[in-house]
Amino acid sequence: VTSSGNPSGQPINNIRLFRNLGRNATGLQCPYCQRQTVTHVHDAIGVGTVVAVIVLAILFWPLCWLPLCVPGCKRTTHYCGHAACGRKVGETRVCA
């Protein structure tokens, strides 16, 4: 297996990430290692989260912190569940 994760040794250039996989781990076939896996997820604050905080600060400041705590207001990134691969396989955008 090469560093591209492809057993044939040919580089993989046309792999597309899955979109809107949800906020929780999900089962799928990894496009890199070709194995069935359950994804690992990571939530991160994105631009949309910051915009939501600013809008709430203007409209109703006591709740401006709320988007920082709500998983639906964060970007969720899915990674292959196999330790040998672990590559990014998809993401769910902010407020999707």
Side-chain angles (χ1 to χ4, degrees):
V1 178
T2 64
S3 61
S4 66
N6 184 359
S8 68
Q10 299 297 320
I12 300 173
N13 295 325
N14 59 353
I15 291 185
R16 299 180 66 176
L17 295 177
F18 293 101
R19 296 284 180 197
N20 297 324
L21 289 174
R23 303 287 171 197
N24 300 315
T26 186
L28 52 76
Q29 181 178 359
C30 176
Y32 299 102
C33 67
Q34 305 302 319
R35 293 190 269 179
Q36 288 295 112
T37 184
V38 175
T39 61
H40 290 254
V41 295
H42 175 72
D43 292 330
I45 295 171
V47 175
T49 309
V50 174
V51 169
V53 167
I54 292 170
V55 168
L56 281 174
I58 293 169
L59 297 177
F60 191 67
W61 68 266
L63 294 180
C64 68
W65 55 269
L66 201 56
L68 300 174
C69 301
V70 177
C73 291
K74 297 179 183 178
R75 180 182 62 242
T76 302
T77 307
H78 292 260
Y79 297 93
C80 177
H82 290 283
C85 181
R87 295 177 73 176
K88 181 178 175 180
V89 294
E91 67 182 5
T92 300
R93 296 179 357 180
V94 173
C95 298

